[in-house]
Amino acid sequence: MKALELENWLNSYLKVNEFRDYCPNGIQVEGKDEIRRIVTGVSASAKLLEYAARTGADAVLVHHGIFWKGDPQAIRTFRRKRIEILIKNDLNLFAYHLPLDAHPEIGNNVLLAQTLGIEIDGACDEGEKHPLVLRGHLAQPCRLSDFIALIDHKLDRKSFYIGDGGAIIDRIAWCTGAAHDNIELAARCGAGLYISGEIAERTVHEAEELGIAYVAAGHHCTEIFGIRKLGHVLADRFGLDVEFVNMPNSI
């Protein structure tokens, strides 16, 4: 499959043009023209790129690419190393950020809900064309401590939480990744618990003052789902050799 053909298909499938993102979605670094093998992962770390090169990949497809708005324009230190690996090995780097969080079928938010058994009711930011903060409920209300144990089991990590472990929870709002600043929106839409990936120092005070429980379930762990599923879609649709590689990340 041609690299530009794949990019055009991905851009259309993920509706890239309908998002205001703070990074370029699509090909971030151009490599060889023909793509047969793809390595997917959450972030374009040097370790992931080196693995892709070592195993004969033609492209790397990630959720977190190399370039972000506000970054220095000079290509130095770790950025230089990553780009050097890509160019030296003629690897394409594809990255899709918000479009992969919000996709209604393979998005991180939808797949996290499925993983945790949350039934989706709608969105807290329902005025947005592609909402990022979803809301839903549990089929059976449970204690916060029991639900946190489920999260830790499903995501294979130890979550950080704020709230009374014995409190009964039912209505939940969530947004994967670094989305702690949506906690007020979650409280306004009636959620008793808000889940995101990362936490800030201020989130502790905000959760207590808003009267809402909060779980930081891990930025990396909450965003494994979309990129892995997207790889399955590409393998099934185009017959490409796609391998998901989960590079451990404690955040």
Side-chain angles (χ1 to χ4, degrees):
M1 187 175 193
K2 300 297 184 183
L4 291 180
E5 179 186 359
L6 177 57
E7 181 184 36
N8 288 337
W9 187 88
L10 285 166
N11 288 353
S12 175
Y13 180 68
L14 296 171
K15 301 185 186 303
V16 165
N17 291 335
E18 298 180 8
F19 286 83
R20 293 174 296 172
D21 213 334
Y22 39 96
C23 64
N25 289 290
I27 293 179
Q28 290 197 347
V29 178
E30 189 176 58
K32 62 188 67 173
D33 183 51
E34 192 69 29
I35 294 177
R36 295 182 178 87
R37 170 170 162 75
I38 302 173
V39 165
T40 69
V42 176
S43 299
S45 66
K47 286 184 179 180
L48 181 69
L49 301 179
E50 288 169 344
Y51 177 87
R54 190 168 62 250
T55 57
D58 305 303
V60 179
L61 173 61
V62 296
H63 182 47
H64 303 136
I66 294 176
F67 303 107
W68 302 90
K69 289 181 180 177
D71 279 353
Q73 292 183 322
I75 299 174
R76 304 176 64 177
T77 64
F78 67 88
R79 294 182 188 86
R80 180 191 182 280
K81 181 177 181 180
R82 293 174 183 179
I83 294 170
E84 181 181 25
I85 296 167
L86 290 163
I87 293 176
K88 181 179 179 180
N89 294 281
D90 208 12
L91 281 169
N92 292 278
L93 175 64
F94 294 80
Y96 291 93
H97 187 231
L98 294 183
L100 193 54
D101 288 319
H103 196 276
E105 296 174 1
I106 66 160
N108 286 317
N109 284 324
V110 167
L111 295 180
L112 180 63
Q114 292 177 10
T115 300
L116 299 180
I118 305 171
E119 298 182 23
I120 300 173
D121 296 326
C124 294
D125 53 343
E126 56 187 9
E128 297 293 328
K129 186 170 186 178
H130 298 287
L132 288 168
V133 185
L134 301 186
R135 57 182 175 84
H137 68 278
L138 299 175
Q140 182 66 44
C142 68
R143 293 188 306 173
L144 175 62
S145 59
D146 291 336
F147 191 64
I148 291 170
L150 172 68
I151 294 173
D152 291 352
H153 172 69
K154 291 290 186 179
L155 302 186
D156 192 26
R157 77 182 302 274
K158 184 68 175 176
S159 300
F160 178 87
Y161 78 94
I162 303 163
D164 177 4
I168 302 300
I169 61 165
D170 176 14
R171 292 180 293 175
I172 301 172
W174 66 98
C175 183
T176 64
H180 44 76
D181 283 337
N182 288 312
I183 189 169
E184 186 175 3
L185 178 61
R188 286 204 306 269
C189 74
L193 168 64
Y194 178 57
I195 304 169
S196 75
E198 291 185 34
I199 184 171
E201 186 274 342
R202 60 185 176 275
T203 312
V204 176
H205 306 292
E206 292 168 353
E208 292 174 347
E209 292 165 21
L210 289 166
I212 185 173
Y214 172 79
V215 175
H219 192 145
H220 178 87
C221 290
T222 58
E223 297 195 326
I224 286 174
F225 307 102
I227 196 69
R228 182 170 59 191
K229 185 67 174 179
L230 182 57
H232 294 163
V233 171
L234 293 178
D236 291 343
R237 187 177 184 94
F238 300 110
L240 295 167
D241 174 13
V242 183
E243 179 186 5
F244 172 74
V245 179
N246 184 22
M247 292 293 177
N249 189 322
S250 59
I251 297 298

